Amino acid sequence: FAFCSKCMVFAALLPAFVPAFDPAFVPAFVPHAAPFAGLLPASARASAVVAKAAKRKAAAGKRKPAKPAAFDLKKAMLVAMRAHQDLWRLDPQRECCRDVYVRADGGSRFFFAGKAVGAAGRCDAASAVLLQKRAILEHARLLHPELEQMHRLSRPLQLWAAPADSEVSVARKVQALESLEGARLSRAMREDADAGATLAGFDPDQPESDGRAGFSVRLPEDGVPVAPLEVRFASSVAEAEAMAAQEQEAMAAQQQEAMRKEEAARPGAGGGVPKPVAPKVTGAASAAAESATDSGEDSGGGVVGPASAWWAR
């Protein structure tokens, strides 16, 4: 009984000796004084509540931030495709449109990923590609297995651009590609995009009907072709047939001219004109003829165009 009386007196007189009293001091130095906290003045009990609240707030501030949500490629691509449909109509001159290519760092093959467009007057073509960089790269990796393999090998993927609707020129190696490695987004444009403004859209390339990957082209490291590829494209069957006929006529004329020169070089040769010989069909004309034969057309030429799209891989 005497010990308990002394503890009660000590707990009652303690605030007088400690002006800035912290109730946590009592259980720390006097373990048996906690049951007597109710004997403390009201001001001391209030300060204890404030101190505990401050400690809980400090502990909450040290918690790890929540992990960001996983990137949803399907949702992002649907939004980008809808935006492309709306913005594409507003840019008839295609000043804010670009064809987008992806290349693995150090590689020589550039893979076509799709077409990007920016809001006219608000977003330039390069920024339109950068705003959708993650969606474009994710799509390119799904479309082209070689890019996915390079990504797994920790090879950085680069974005390249070409003028809108220039796939044929790129395939013929008469159109250079532009690297976007040095391009940067302005802070204002990034903030507008984060706020939900529709500044850019993307139309992704699709695999071929037979399951093959999309279009790609081999170019030097700087994206500038060395020499154009001697390839002609036809947009219709009639145009393909005309191209094949022209090639046959040109080859026949070359053969006749060569035979004339050979006949004139022979000693005692007459001045007669040699009998024309049917030319041997090779190259694009032969491929066109085989295509026409396979399709059941007796046209003498063939189809070079939509039936063999992206044939200049």
Side-chain angles (χ1 to χ4, degrees):
F1 176 76
F3 176 76
C4 293
S5 301
K6 292 180 181 179
C7 289
M8 293 175 63
V9 172
F10 176 77
L13 296 178
L14 187 60
F17 298 96
V18 183
F21 177 69
D22 184 0
F25 173 84
V26 176
F29 295 95
V30 187
H32 301 288
F36 305 99
L39 301 178
L40 297 176
S43 59
R45 292 197 299 269
S47 63
V49 174
V50 174
K52 290 182 179 180
K55 289 181 179 179
R56 286 196 298 266
K57 185 176 180 180
K62 295 180 180 179
R63 293 175 183 173
K64 294 183 179 180
K67 294 183 179 179
F71 180 70
D72 190 343
L73 177 60
K74 182 178 180 180
K75 181 179 179 180
M77 195 59 65
L78 290 176
V79 173
M81 292 171 67
R82 294 192 189 101
H84 182 275
Q85 292 179 354
D86 297 335
L87 298 176
W88 181 79
R89 300 188 186 96
L90 302 178
D91 186 17
Q93 303 299 326
R94 304 294 180 262
E95 295 179 357
C96 298
C97 300
R98 288 293 183 274
D99 290 350
V100 185
Y101 294 79
V102 179
R103 184 194 73 162
D105 185 23
S108 61
R109 185 175 290 277
F110 296 77
F111 298 88
F112 180 65
K115 299 174 180 291
V117 59
R122 302 174 60 193
C123 179
D124 60 284
S127 298
V129 179
L130 296 180
L131 281 173
Q132 307 170 100
K133 179 177 180 178
R134 181 165 186 179
I136 292 174
L137 293 180
E138 293 279 352
H139 168 70
R141 287 166 49 194
L142 292 175
L143 182 64
H144 302 283
E146 184 175 334
L147 289 177
E148 175 63 21
Q149 182 179 5
M150 294 296 102
H151 175 73
R152 292 177 181 273
L153 295 175
S154 300
R155 294 272 294 277
L157 301 182
Q158 304 171 348
L159 289 172
W160 294 70
D165 305 326
S166 61
E167 298 97 316
V168 174
S169 299
V170 173
R172 295 181 61 188
K173 298 187 178 181
V174 296
Q175 173 63 53
L177 302 183
E178 175 188 2
S179 175
L180 299 180
E181 286 297 304
R184 294 293 182 269
L185 284 173
S186 65
R187 178 177 298 181
M189 189 173 299
R190 174 65 71 181
E191 292 176 352
D192 290 345
D194 294 340
T198 303
L199 299 178
F202 182 67
D203 182 23
D205 188 32
Q206 304 295 332
E208 300 289 346
S209 58
D210 57 0
R212 292 182 295 120
F215 165 60
S216 63
V217 61
R218 289 189 180 276
L219 292 173
E221 188 174 356
D222 58 357
V224 180
V226 177
L229 187 64
E230 296 297 331
V231 176
R232 294 190 300 171
F233 293 85
S235 58
S236 64
V237 175
E239 186 177 354
E241 292 177 350
M243 290 168 55
Q246 292 176 2
E247 187 173 352
Q248 288 182 357
E249 291 176 1
M251 294 176 63
Q254 291 177 1
Q255 271 198 344
Q256 289 182 1
E257 183 65 24
M259 292 180 64
R260 289 194 186 97
K261 291 182 179 180
E262 183 180 355
E263 191 70 21
R266 292 176 183 175
V273 178
K275 183 178 180 181
V277 179
K280 182 180 180 182
V281 182
T282 59
S286 176
E290 292 178 4
S291 177
T293 303
D294 295 339
S295 60
E297 298 180 5
D298 187 11
S299 59
V303 181
V304 182
S308 57
W310 312 124
W311 65 310
R313 289 185 181 83

